[in-house]
Amino acid sequence: VSLFSGAGILDWPFFNDERFNIQYAIDYDAGACETYRENLGDHIVHGDIHKAFTPNGYALDAAVQEEPDVIIGGPSCKPFSNANRHTRLEDHPDSDLLMQYMRIVEKLNPKVFAIENVPEVLTACEGSYFQAVQDKAKSFGYELASGIVQDCKVGGYTTRKRAVILGSR
């Protein structure tokens, strides 16, 4: 399952690995969903993450028949990014998306989940956002690991740094 899928750049390696079958993806950006469909398939929903996996959710939510092995996703970095100088943290409308991700982790109960974001997601508000993720993960029975990687040192093409949060049960 892929959350905050965008055009599918995080999904691409999973899509190309025969050991994985992406059952479901969701993103709010219609153009990104069209690109995703063109390159990865029709299993993406154009919609609001707040409605995903809820009683009145999307039809493709039902496509996830059993607990997925893995959930991947990169919730919006806008609340945490230093590039965003106008509305940050709790003032930003996307500030709840990390907890929406964790809501879906709780509901689907994957073996593993992975969150990708800007490094500041680990330290924003004296670490309170990351602490909330840690607390939720622990309450669901997950062990957590986190770190910062540089894109070009893990097969990417840029020098930018990314935070990675991994949960495993």
Side-chain angles (χ1 to χ4, degrees):
V1 170
S2 172
L3 309 175
F4 309 99
S5 307
I9 196 71
L10 188 60
D11 298 26
W12 187 248
F14 291 92
F15 176 76
N16 286 307
D17 188 325
E18 64 186 33
R19 295 171 292 183
F20 293 95
N21 175 26
I22 304 171
Q23 298 176 1
Y24 180 91
I26 184 169
D27 198 85
Y28 75 96
D29 184 281
C33 289
E34 293 222 9
T35 299
Y36 190 106
R37 272 189 200 91
E38 186 69 28
N39 293 303
L40 286 94
D42 291 329
H43 55 270
I44 190 163
V45 170
H46 169 230
D48 181 352
I49 197 76
H50 296 88
K51 295 178 184 174
F53 301 101
T54 64
N56 298 320
Y58 303 105
L60 277 180
D61 290 352
V64 182
Q65 301 288 325
E66 54 192 58
E67 295 176 356
D69 289 334
V70 180
I71 294 179
I72 60 172
S76 174
C77 64
K78 293 173 193 169
F80 313 109
S81 176
N82 285 332
N84 180 5
R85 304 272 188 235
H86 302 291
T87 56
R88 290 195 67 213
L89 306 171
E90 59 274 346
D91 292 334
H92 196 281
D94 291 352
S95 65
D96 73 325
L97 296 181
L98 270 174
M99 289 302 101
Q100 287 298 316
Y101 185 106
M102 295 308 294
R103 173 186 64 80
I104 295 170
V105 166
E106 179 181 27
K107 178 149 184 87
L108 298 183
N109 197 33
K111 294 175 184 170
V112 176
F113 69 86
I115 299 172
E116 174 272 333
N117 214 294
V118 294
E120 292 79 12
V121 74
L122 301 175
T123 58
C125 291
E126 298 178 359
S128 65
Y129 284 90
F130 180 52
Q131 186 63 54
V133 170
Q134 287 178 305
D135 293 345
K136 286 282 187 188
K138 186 176 180 181
S139 75
F140 307 156
Y142 289 88
E143 292 183 27
L144 222 59
S146 64
I148 298 174
V149 297
Q150 190 172 19
D151 184 51
C152 62
K153 292 184 179 174
V154 292
Y157 301 98
T158 71
T159 58
R160 70 184 192 160
K161 295 180 179 175
R162 307 303 290 170
V164 177
I165 303 168
L166 301 173
S168 175
R169 58 174 173 86

